[in-house]
Amino acid sequence: MTLKVASQLGEAQPASVTVRATSGFPAQELIEASRTADLVVVGSRGAGGFAALRIGSVSGQVVHHAHCPVVVVPHES
């Protein structure tokens, strides 16, 4: 999926993208990874209605505690 998205960027692609798999509590792992990252991108699942206005608990924790900028990509309906 990551390579598909990167290929759609055309000439706007970043110099490099690192993909890494880890095991643990998602928010904690992402926050730790943010220590050496330039940017963290997380998704947010929409539940429709009022719930769609909120971001998920993992996304919220990462946004508030990351050591680098964070982009939250909303779920497509």
Side-chain angles (χ1 to χ4, degrees), residues 30-31 33-40 62-63 65-71:
L30 289 166
I31 292 165
S34 76
R35 291 182 185 278
T36 58
D38 295 320
L39 176 70
V40 173
V62 174
V63 165
H65 300 289
H67 302 276
C68 69
V70 177
V71 173

Side-chain angles (χ1 to χ4, degrees), residues 47-77:
F50 177 74
L53 298 175
R54 302 180 325 187
I55 61 174
S57 60
V58 171
S59 299
Q61 289 180 41
V62 174
V63 165
H64 286 59
H65 300 289
H67 302 276
C68 69
V70 177
V71 173
V72 179
V73 179
H75 174 74
E76 289 186 36
S77 301

Side-chain angles (χ1 to χ4, degrees), residues 2-3 5 9 13 16-18 21-22 28 31 35 37-38 43 45-47 51 59-60 64-65 69 71 75-77:
T2 303
L3 295 177
V5 171
L9 295 174
Q13 291 186 17
S16 68
V17 174
T18 303
T22 62
Q28 185 177 4
I31 292 165
R35 291 182 185 278
D38 295 320
R45 289 185 286 176
S59 299
H64 286 59
H65 300 289
V71 173
H75 174 74
E76 289 186 36
S77 301

